PDB file of all heavy atoms in Angstrom:
ATOM      1  N   LEU P  13       3.522  15.191  24.339  1.00 88.00           N
ATOM      2  CA  LEU P  13       2.310  14.406  24.564  1.00 88.00           C
ATOM      3  C   LEU P  13       1.340  15.191  25.446  1.00 88.00           C
ATOM      4  O   LEU P  13       1.776  16.017  26.234  1.00 88.00           O
ATOM      5  CB  LEU P  13       2.681  13.081  25.230  1.00 88.00           C
ATOM      6  CG  LEU P  13       3.479  12.128  24.338  1.00 88.00           C
ATOM      7  CD1 LEU P  13       3.853  10.869  25.123  1.00 88.00           C
ATOM      8  CD2 LEU P  13       2.689  11.755  23.099  1.00 88.00           C
ATOM      9  N   LEU P  22      -5.747  13.811  11.484  1.00 97.00           N
ATOM     10  CA  LEU P  22      -5.007  13.672  10.217  1.00 97.00           C
ATOM     11  C   LEU P  22      -4.545  12.233  10.031  1.00 97.00           C
ATOM     12  O   LEU P  22      -4.606  11.677   8.926  1.00 97.00           O
ATOM     13  CB  LEU P  22      -3.791  14.606  10.214  1.00 97.00           C
ATOM     14  CG  LEU P  22      -4.064  16.103  10.067  1.00 97.00           C
ATOM     15  CD1 LEU P  22      -2.763  16.889  10.172  1.00 97.00           C
ATOM     16  CD2 LEU P  22      -4.756  16.404   8.742  1.00 97.00           C
ATOM     17  N   LEU P  75      10.015  19.536   4.581  1.00 98.00           N
ATOM     18  CA  LEU P  75       8.904  18.715   4.077  1.00 98.00           C
ATOM     19  C   LEU P  75       9.144  18.325   2.613  1.00 98.00           C
ATOM     20  O   LEU P  75       8.920  17.173   2.224  1.00 98.00           O
ATOM     21  CB  LEU P  75       7.570  19.465   4.242  1.00 98.00           C
ATOM     22  CG  LEU P  75       6.321  18.693   3.815  1.00 98.00           C
ATOM     23  CD1 LEU P  75       6.206  17.358   4.565  1.00 98.00           C
ATOM     24  CD2 LEU P  75       5.050  19.512   4.046  1.00 98.00           C
ATOM     25  N   SER P  82      10.653  10.040   0.497  1.00 96.00           N
ATOM     26  CA  SER P  82       9.685   8.986   0.845  1.00 96.00           C
ATOM     27  C   SER P  82       8.677   8.686  -0.271  1.00 96.00           C
ATOM     28  O   SER P  82       7.992   7.666  -0.222  1.00 96.00           O
ATOM     29  CB  SER P  82       8.933   9.369   2.124  1.00 96.00           C
ATOM     30  OG  SER P  82       8.232  10.589   1.933  1.00 96.00           O
ATOM     31  N   VAL P 110      -1.771  22.121  -4.613  1.00 98.00           N
ATOM     32  CA  VAL P 110      -2.125  22.227  -3.193  1.00 98.00           C
ATOM     33  C   VAL P 110      -3.625  22.501  -3.078  1.00 98.00           C
ATOM     34  O   VAL P 110      -4.153  23.344  -3.806  1.00 98.00           O
ATOM     35  CB  VAL P 110      -1.348  23.390  -2.523  1.00 98.00           C
ATOM     36  CG1 VAL P 110      -1.769  23.553  -1.063  1.00 98.00           C
ATOM     37  CG2 VAL P 110       0.159  23.163  -2.622  1.00 98.00           C
ATOM     38  N   VAL P 147      -6.173  19.973   5.864  1.00 96.00           N
ATOM     39  CA  VAL P 147      -7.497  19.504   6.290  1.00 96.00           C
ATOM     40  C   VAL P 147      -7.946  20.283   7.531  1.00 96.00           C
ATOM     41  O   VAL P 147      -7.181  20.433   8.491  1.00 96.00           O
ATOM     42  CB  VAL P 147      -7.451  17.990   6.628  1.00 96.00           C
ATOM     43  CG1 VAL P 147      -8.852  17.475   6.950  1.00 96.00           C
ATOM     44  CG2 VAL P 147      -6.843  17.203   5.481  1.00 96.00           C
ATOM     45  N   ASP P 209     -18.016  44.502  26.269  1.00 96.00           N
ATOM     46  CA  ASP P 209     -17.870  43.634  27.444  1.00 96.00           C
ATOM     47  C   ASP P 209     -17.953  42.167  27.025  1.00 96.00           C
ATOM     48  O   ASP P 209     -19.048  41.638  26.808  1.00 96.00           O
ATOM     49  CB  ASP P 209     -18.975  43.959  28.452  1.00 96.00           C
ATOM     50  CG  ASP P 209     -18.892  43.063  29.679  1.00 96.00           C
ATOM     51  OD1 ASP P 209     -17.912  42.299  29.800  1.00 96.00           O
ATOM     52  OD2 ASP P 209     -19.813  43.128  30.516  1.00 96.00           O
ATOM     53  N   SER P 211     -17.046  39.615  28.840  1.00 97.00           N
ATOM     54  CA  SER P 211     -17.034  38.649  29.956  1.00 97.00           C
ATOM     55  C   SER P 211     -18.170  37.614  29.864  1.00 97.00           C
ATOM     56  O   SER P 211     -17.930  36.435  30.158  1.00 97.00           O
ATOM     57  CB  SER P 211     -17.008  39.350  31.308  1.00 97.00           C
ATOM     58  OG  SER P 211     -18.053  40.269  31.408  1.00 97.00           O
ATOM     59  N   ALA P 229     -16.053  43.351  13.724  1.00 96.00           N
ATOM     60  CA  ALA P 229     -16.450  44.603  14.393  1.00 96.00           C
ATOM     61  C   ALA P 229     -15.895  44.618  15.812  1.00 96.00           C
ATOM     62  O   ALA P 229     -15.418  45.658  16.291  1.00 96.00           O
ATOM     63  CB  ALA P 229     -17.973  44.720  14.401  1.00 96.00           C
ATOM     64  N   GLY P 261     -24.264  38.430  11.391  1.00 97.00           N
ATOM     65  CA  GLY P 261     -24.200  37.316  10.444  1.00 97.00           C
ATOM     66  C   GLY P 261     -23.922  37.785   9.031  1.00 97.00           C
ATOM     67  O   GLY P 261     -24.498  37.268   8.059  1.00 97.00           O
ATOM     68  N   THR P 271     -19.575  26.072   8.400  1.00 90.00           N
ATOM     69  CA  THR P 271     -19.497  24.607   8.414  1.00 90.00           C
ATOM     70  C   THR P 271     -19.529  24.036   9.831  1.00 90.00           C
ATOM     71  O   THR P 271     -19.333  22.847  10.018  1.00 90.00           O
ATOM     72  CB  THR P 271     -18.225  24.104   7.690  1.00 90.00           C
ATOM     73  OG1 THR P 271     -17.091  24.735   8.281  1.00 90.00           O
ATOM     74  CG2 THR P 271     -18.265  24.397   6.212  1.00 90.00           C
ATOM     75  N   VAL P 274     -23.320  22.524  14.652  1.00 97.00           N
ATOM     76  CA  VAL P 274     -24.542  23.121  15.214  1.00 97.00           C
ATOM     77  C   VAL P 274     -24.260  24.595  15.497  1.00 97.00           C
ATOM     78  O   VAL P 274     -23.263  24.932  16.116  1.00 97.00           O
ATOM     79  CB  VAL P 274     -24.957  22.412  16.531  1.00 97.00           C
ATOM     80  CG1 VAL P 274     -26.153  23.110  17.159  1.00 97.00           C
ATOM     81  CG2 VAL P 274     -25.254  20.941  16.286  1.00 97.00           C
ATOM     82  N   SER P 300     -28.579  39.089  28.979  1.00 98.00           N
ATOM     83  CA  SER P 300     -29.523  38.322  29.782  1.00 98.00           C
ATOM     84  C   SER P 300     -29.403  36.836  29.442  1.00 98.00           C
ATOM     85  O   SER P 300     -29.317  35.987  30.322  1.00 98.00           O
ATOM     86  CB  SER P 300     -30.939  38.852  29.491  1.00 98.00           C
ATOM     87  OG  SER P 300     -31.891  37.901  29.791  1.00 98.00           O
TER      88      SER P 300
END
Side-chain angles (χ1 to χ4, degrees):
L13 292 177
L22 288 176
L75 183 57
S82 60
V110 177
V147 185
D209 179 7
S211 54
T271 55
V274 175
S300 157

